[in-house]
Amino acid sequence: MERLKGAEVSAKIKEQVQAMLEKAGGRTPKLAIVRVGERPDDLSYERGAIKKMEAFGLAAESRAFPADISNEAFQKAFAAVNEDPEIDGILLLRPLPGHLDEKAAENAIDPEKDLDGISPWNAAKVFAGDESGFAPCTAEAVVEVLKAYDIPISGRRVTIVGRSMVVGRPLSMLLVKENATVTICHTRTRDLPGTCRNAEILVAAAGRAKMLDQDYVAPGAVVIDVGINVDEEGKLCGDVDWESIQDTASMATPVPGGVGAVTTAVLARHLVQAALRQHG
């Protein structure tokens, strides 16, 4: 089974970003990462994103708030980030604590700074096939991996396990735009293993550690694992049981080292695109 490494795809996107930066007139695009509280997964993603921005020659800063911040105070602070002319792009780490109005933030974010496609405006553009909107970075990263490794998408049967607005639903639209035939699975899907075995390309976005094993994978299928979980030994793992599919899948993305590295590279590209649109 061939390992689809994210680092190689990230390197190609970095070349694109460098070419785009030449049009920025010497201005360094700046990202604001908005975080509430100190959840370990948020902190890990924040560190990785800032490191990636710096590696790509971009600027990034954390706008962190305490977990017990009031909704009124948070919405006011978020509005200030939104209106800051020095900030070209915003990444809001979700989910927010339950007492905060997450929908209000999604509705308020400037679509031109919304790098992860959480605003209704960008979501509508993705579902309409309008490339001027920002798609969620992870969903776009999946397509980037497939294209970088010259894996055909047009006409292929693709099954996505997971229907969230972070990955499953927007990814289905991106793949339909590439002329794939897409099936979305979820907790109510009957015979989930059988449905997955029908896929030529299987995308795991269920959020459950090692949920998909060889019983879900057709011989020769390509498996894209976007899950980020911690197993019973405390190690990072995906939604796919990697060892189980070794003799079944033809290609697969590892966790870590797969889609995650591409996601932050896509975030960097979105940041430069946002800066160019706002500042010319």
Side-chain angles (χ1 to χ4, degrees), residues 191-197 212-218 244-245 248:
D191 187 16
L192 180 59
T195 302
C196 291
R197 285 197 302 271
L212 279 64
D213 58 20
Q214 61 185 4
D215 292 337
Y216 293 75
V217 181
S244 175
I245 69 168
T248 307

Side-chain angles (χ1 to χ4, degrees), residues 10-22:
S10 178
K12 292 182 180 181
I13 296 176
K14 184 177 182 179
E15 292 177 1
Q16 299 172 5
V17 169
Q18 299 307 312
M20 294 165 62
L21 275 176
E22 294 179 2

Side-chain angles (χ1 to χ4, degrees), residues 64-261:
F65 304 96
D68 60 355
I69 187 173
S70 70
N71 184 62
E72 181 180 0
F74 173 74
Q75 300 299 341
K76 184 177 180 180
F78 188 68
V81 178
N82 223 5
E83 297 165 6
D84 188 340
E86 296 301 313
I87 299 299
D88 300 292
I90 299 170
L91 175 64
L92 175 63
L93 298 182
R94 299 172 298 160
L96 296 175
H99 68 284
L100 299 182
D101 190 343
E102 191 169 304
K103 281 295 180 184
E106 293 173 357
N107 289 329
I109 192 170
D110 184 343
E112 291 190 343
K113 296 184 178 184
D114 171 29
L115 304 188
D116 205 24
I118 67 173
S119 74
W121 180 263
N122 279 321
K125 285 195 171 187
V126 170
F127 277 74
D130 185 343
E131 295 183 1
S132 68
F134 290 119
C137 296
T138 302
E140 191 170 320
V142 171
V143 178
E144 289 292 331
V145 170
L146 295 172
K147 289 183 175 181
Y149 281 94
D150 296 320
I151 298 168
I153 302 175
S154 181
R156 304 294 289 277
R157 297 187 304 276
V158 183
T159 296
I160 304 169
V161 182
R163 54 179 170 179
S164 75
M165 283 298 292
V166 178
V167 182
R169 296 188 200 187
L171 175 57
S172 70
M173 293 296 99
L174 297 180
L175 291 169
V176 165
K177 196 171 188 298
E178 297 291 336
N179 300 310
T181 299
V182 181
T183 299
I184 299 180
C185 295
H186 44 76
T187 54
R188 300 290 180 90
T189 299
R190 294 182 180 179
D191 187 16
L192 180 59
T195 302
C196 291
R197 285 197 302 271
N198 187 53
E200 295 168 285
I201 300 173
L202 177 62
V203 182
R208 290 178 57 186
K210 300 182 181 180
M211 172 185 168
L212 279 64
D213 58 20
Q214 61 185 4
D215 292 337
Y216 293 75
V217 181
V222 176
V223 179
I224 308 295
D225 190 352
V226 304
I228 299 291
N229 310 286
V230 177
D231 64 16
E232 60 276 3
E233 298 177 0
K235 296 180 180 179
L236 202 63
C237 69
D239 289 354
V240 176
D241 186 340
W242 178 265
E243 297 301 326
S244 175
I245 69 168
Q246 290 287 323
D247 297 327
T248 307
S250 61
M251 302 176 175
T253 56
V255 178
V259 175

